[in-house]
Amino acid sequence: MEGGPSARIREGDCAVLKRDEVFKAVSVLRRRKIIFEKQWFYLDNAIGHIYGTTFEVTSGGNLQPKQEVEETTTETKEAGTDNRNIVDDGKSQKLTHDDIKALKDKGIKGQEIVQQLIENSTTFRDKTEFAQDKYIKKKKKKYEAVITIVKPSTRILSTMYYAREPGKINHLRYDTLAQMLTLGNIHAGNKMIVMETCAGLVLGAVMERMGGYGSIIQMYPGGGPVRAATSCFGFPKPFFDNLHEFPLSKVQSLLSGTFSTETLPADPEENALGEEESNGLSEEKQTALQETGEEPAAEAPMEINPTEEQDTMDISAEDVEFKETKEKENKENVREKHIKQWERRKKLKEAAALLREKNADGLIVASKFHPTPLLLSLLEFVAPSRPFVVYCQYKEPLLECYTKLRERGGVINLKLSETWLRNYQVLPDRSHPKLTMSGGGGYLLSGITVVLEKGKSDSSNSEALKMEEPSSKRCKLQDLPC
Amino acid sequence: MSFVEYGDTIKDGDTAIVFLGHESMFPVKVQHGSVTQTKYGVIRHSTDLIGKKYGSKVTCSKGGWVFILHPTPELWTMNLPHRTQILYSTDISIITMMLELKPGSIVCESGTGSGSLSHALIRTVAPTGHLYTVEFHQQRAEKAREEFREHGVEHLVTVTNQDVCKNGFGVSNIADAVFLDIPSPWEAIGHAKSALKAEGGRICSFSPCIEQVQRTCLAMEESGFTEINTLEILLRVYNVRTVSLQIPDLGKAAEDNSSTGFDSSSPSHQGSSCADLQQGTVQFKSGVPLREVVGHTGYLTFATKSLV
């Protein structure tokens, strides 16, 4: 059931463009203009090639698989030993701005422009070997535009989102997401509860790790779940068969036993309608811009932009069905609407039934909301001896959550943590940590559920404290100045 | 139970985790008639464990109690018998994600060591994937086989006892990912490349020293690996504590008691001894870093094998 995309790029695939460290998710469609890193092109020629192929953008926006070129290094290597005689007079480059622009306009290959820049640099020969290396690399990056098309994965999409749209995913850094998946023991066959407001990225990561086995109940705020990032994964259809959703606003009634699908508000329906309209608009704009050949400011679907969350890529069956009904007569439309509502209700009932069993294998929370109320309620649906993980961009709410969970009981091994991620440059004689690192990727509170004893309160509470307190007490003593 | 499938109740033959308290737990093999000693007294498997729900509180003979937990690779990592240095969950999680592992993935690993990473890999690739793990130390290889059998995951893993640098992984063109945790990974890069699928895959090498990383990166480049990237991940754990800081006595107390601006809300919970000494304290919750944390485990170098 691993299914997934094949090794070759096919029309309709969800793919990711990569240039150096920059990613962008796109859907592979013929004659659709793509703008990426200040370049425009069509993906038509990429279809049929294997994922991981690197392309060059040629005239007319065509992609050409990049040939492995033998690096013909400039004649005999000449290099200085230090920079004592190199003066920054701003005149070392003999080519002017206009010269370079002319070269570019002539359609000369980036590689040749770099060569010309080197030849016209008076100081190049005096630079140290390492400095020459660095110079070439910098110029290559600017003039030799190559794009690699890769298959989407949690690794790529979480890196992409963190770099491009961290606000959309509450600044959840990819290594933090990796911790969540491991701490949560996410694997095939689980019955997971996921509550996220990370554009569906966390949901997608959980779905990838479950490989279509088991079930997921996504708790959503407002009118419906956001799955813009989920759709970028390009999961096969069966992965969505056991993906359920349940409105957060119904949690209390479900817990108190007053839940009924009859009171279901119609807002999800309206929400879907709104989405549909905005999609139509963006698509029209897209084609119009393609025809005029202008560089559209609005980006194609699946790109990370402000309109993206309302995009077509939500692969949910309802959307597809809805699209079909759109063209039909109004009467029929109403009838279809009723059927749809009935189906929605049925799905909701299924999700409610799954939750009512109170035997979920784990809980993952990563949202913009305060974690404490979410945890206190949603943990009710989790079986004992199962892990849970809560993400928060800030530490303070998790401190409170920790305290409240201790008061509630039914949880052990509570741990508040954070990871630091440091990247390295590894080159002969030039290895060191990269100059910048991410300042923060959020915090996690994790733990394990245990059987919550009825009428517990004070006694078990104090005992729990007895169990866990000593270590911190010891620290306290050590912390005292002597 | 198995390490790749949750079960509700404790059964004969299960491996369960006895949780005594913070950072204090151990694994136990559940057997009819068997007993386990803890500092809270004896646990009798037949009556105290078998048939009980995982996550239950079990009262021991001296009246103290423990929780019995379902095993997971993460709990196993914290409790396994060390035969070598092991990888911990922080590194394991980034390895799993960066190698793009998921159900169905075929992974090669060397060395098996104590099986800490192996259990996590098996969990992730189950039920349709497979782990080929190579360990040149015969005893360790056998011990690992035995554990995989006990943990109900033997069908998902093949342990080979050979030298990966000389003989490779024993498979070719089938792996989606390769992981190396050996002293001289650069000697195994060629074998790693041939173990990976023709259309490509991911590789990761774990090394504590930068010199090892240096040589590994060179070898990867020579073998045509791309996207070579070295990183390090560090875990910071915080203790949640209520801290009180004293309000300094600036001599204002005699003149105006309420001028500190703090005393309205906070001093209600303070210790009486503190209250006698000065006007007040301010209390707050803090996440306090541990006094000593792991500063380095190893560098993780990732790369991609692409076609041609």
Side-chain angles (χ1 to χ4, degrees), chain A residues 284-327:
Chain A
E284 272 169 35
K285 202 158 62 182
Q286 204 77 47
T287 45
L289 286 163
Q290 270 173 13
E291 277 159 17
T292 56
E294 274 178 38
E295 295 210 344
E299 296 179 289
M302 303 213 39
E303 287 172 17
I304 315 311
N305 68 26
T307 61
E308 169 231 43
E309 286 193 359
Q310 292 148 15
D311 248 321
T312 22
M313 293 316 292
D314 200 339
I315 319 183
S316 71
E318 289 107 315
D319 264 3
V320 177
E321 283 172 23
F322 194 76
K323 222 180 250 173
E324 288 166 3
T325 61
K326 205 172 128 187
E327 281 101 49

Side-chain angles (χ1 to χ4, degrees), chain A residues 463 466-467, chain B residues 18-21 24 37-43 58-67:
Chain A
E463 278 192 90
K466 223 192 286 168
M467 283 175 87
Chain B
V18 180
F19 184 92
L20 290 94
S24 168
Q37 297 287 343
T38 76
K39 61 178 172 182
Y40 300 122
V42 171
I43 301 172
V58 170
T59 308
C60 307
S61 62
K62 287 184 196 161
W65 42 261
V66 298
F67 285 107

Side-chain angles (χ1 to χ4, degrees), chain A residues 2 18 50 153-156 158 174-175 177-179 182 185-188 190 208-211 213 361 384-387 395 399 402-403 412-424 426-428 431 443 448 450-451 453 460 463 467-468 471 475-476 478-479, chain B residues 4-8 19-22 25 53-57 65 67 69-70 72-75 78 89-90 93-94 96-98 100-103 123-124 126-128 202 213-214 217 227 229-241 285-287 291 299 307:
Chain A
E2 50 271 27
K18 175 180 183 292
I50 290 196
S153 66
T154 302
R155 166 178 78 99
I156 284 163
S158 59
Y174 43 98
D175 55 312
L177 176 59
Q179 301 298 314
T182 298
N185 191 24
I186 312 296
H187 65 277
N190 271 7
E208 183 184 273
R209 284 291 174 88
M210 288 177 54
Y213 302 91
D361 294 319
S385 196
R386 298 293 188 271
K395 203 197 305 180
L399 296 174
Y402 179 101
T403 313
I412 55 167
N413 214 31
L414 286 183
K415 199 166 92 179
L416 176 61
S417 64
E418 173 197 16
T419 45
W420 283 4
L421 188 69
R422 204 205 278 279
N423 280 286
Y424 284 82
V426 180
L427 288 170
S431 297
Y443 299 86
I448 302 171
V450 289
V451 174
E453 285 170 6
S460 75
E463 278 192 90
M467 283 175 87
E468 303 215 15
S471 66
C475 291
K476 235 179 234 172
Q478 286 169 354
D479 278 346
Chain B
V4 295
E5 203 176 352
Y6 280 119
D8 285 336
F19 184 92
L20 290 94
H22 194 57
M25 47 185 141
K53 243 176 136 72
Y54 275 109
S56 300
K57 189 190 258 187
W65 42 261
F67 285 107
L69 300 180
H70 197 287
T72 65
E74 287 61 54
L75 286 172
M78 288 192 272
S89 297
T90 312
S93 54
I94 195 93
T96 312
M97 181 196 268
M98 291 300 184
E100 304 189 336
L101 301 182
K102 55 193 178 199
R123 175 264 318 273
T124 304
T128 47
R202 295 276 294 166
V213 175
Q214 196 95 253
C217 285
E227 273 192 289
N229 182 24
T230 301
L231 58 83
E232 188 183 22
I233 186 168
L234 291 173
L235 180 70
R236 296 192 48 97
V237 177
Y238 297 96
N239 277 326
V240 180
R241 263 196 265 155
K285 288 243 178 257
S286 179
R291 274 174 63 85
Y299 301 104
L307 187 86

